[in-house]
Amino acid sequence: MKFKYKKYLAGLGSRLRPVIPIQVSNLDTGKSTGYEVLIDSGSDICVFDIQIGTLLGFTFGKHNQEGQVRGITGNPEVLYKEEVEIRVGGWPFTITAYFKELPRDVRYGVVGQGGFFDLFVVKFDLLKEEIELKPRK
Amino acid sequence: MTAIDWSEIYKKYKGQWVALEEDEVTVISSGATAKVAYDKALKKGYKNPILTHMPKDLMPYVGFGL
């Protein structure tokens, strides 16, 4: 499967990012939405904006709170853990996703090592402006 | 394969959630929250919009701060 990079600015200062569309579904209710996510090999886990989780019908509290994790800023944050279905290019997978209020300027979801790179072999080709995903068998 | 150009979408919808059609460039609706953008898209008859948020400021991205 091949996906195109996203370009946020044209010309000088152009930002090309490996952001692709997936389908995210609540396994219990079947409610789903399309959601653009950044493929981030530097992320250990998959993290989606809490607004997406709320839209899918999840509630967030102690029952699914996963404690605190620390990212590059050094500030600990609370995550909420849920099992969801993601569809990538039509291929369905059940993964563990974490929901939190993402920073204002980074609200696309992030798919990382656990929940994405363990499902796909990922090839980034910046010059061709494409990402290739091969499902692992 | 060239990248999907979101530069115009970014300029117009900075800081907002947008709901896109399957082509990922046609904006169906927008809103301050994902729910607003999503509900507007449903009202327009789109059953499966693709949601994304356009950043307010486009700073270089280095890792991910949780």
Side-chain angles (χ1 to χ4, degrees):
Chain A
M1 290 181 280
K2 290 187 180 181
F3 295 86
K4 298 178 184 181
Y5 271 75
K6 298 304 191 298
K7 183 189 289 187
Y8 282 80
L9 289 174
L12 285 176
S14 180
R15 301 264 182 264
L16 285 173
R17 292 183 180 167
V19 173
I20 68 166
I22 65 169
Q23 196 73 17
V24 188
S25 302
N26 181 323
L27 288 168
D28 291 332
T29 65
K31 185 149 188 198
S32 72
T33 183
Y35 184 37
E36 296 279 354
V37 295
L38 175 75
I39 304 174
D40 186 356
S41 62
S43 180
D44 295 329
I45 54 178
C46 295
V47 182
F48 302 154
D49 194 279
I50 205 162
Q51 291 189 40
I52 297 294
T54 302
L55 195 149
L56 293 175
F58 293 116
T59 58
F60 299 106
K62 287 184 180 174
H63 66 282
N64 54 5
Q65 186 173 314
E66 189 64 11
Q68 295 185 329
V69 292
R70 193 183 304 273
I72 194 166
T73 65
N75 298 319
E77 298 277 351
V78 174
L79 299 180
Y80 300 94
K81 178 182 173 183
E82 287 289 349
E83 298 299 297
V84 299
E85 180 185 89
I86 63 168
R87 282 185 176 261
V88 184
W91 292 80
F93 302 92
T94 298
I95 70 161
T96 299
Y98 296 84
F99 292 89
K100 76 176 291 288
E101 186 167 351
L102 292 177
R104 193 179 304 174
D105 287 339
V106 195
R107 274 196 166 137
Y108 36 58
V110 172
V111 288
Q113 296 292 330
F116 198 81
F117 283 81
D118 53 357
L119 299 174
F120 298 98
V121 175
V122 182
K123 178 182 170 186
F124 298 98
D125 195 329
L126 182 64
L127 294 185
K128 286 187 179 177
E129 301 182 359
E130 68 182 31
I131 309 110
E132 185 174 3
L133 303 179
K134 289 185 182 174
R136 296 180 190 277
K137 292 181 183 177
Chain B
M1 189 180 272
T2 55
I4 291 175
D5 191 344
W6 275 0
S7 55
E8 292 305 313
I9 299 175
Y10 164 66
K11 279 185 212 168
K12 188 173 178 182
Y13 297 102
K14 285 183 190 181
Q16 295 191 62
W17 285 89
V18 295
L20 300 169
E21 286 194 35
E22 200 175 337
D23 64 5
E24 298 185 85
V25 289
T26 304
V27 176
I28 303 165
S29 57
S30 65
T33 67
K35 185 174 178 4
V36 167
Y38 182 81
D39 287 346
K40 280 185 190 176
L42 292 187
K43 274 189 184 168
K44 288 185 176 183
Y46 292 87
K47 292 183 182 174
N48 197 28
I50 302 171
L51 295 174
T52 192
H53 181 266
M54 288 294 140
K56 201 164 185 181
D57 298 302
L58 198 59
M59 303 290 286
Y61 175 84
V62 180
F64 187 79
L66 290 178

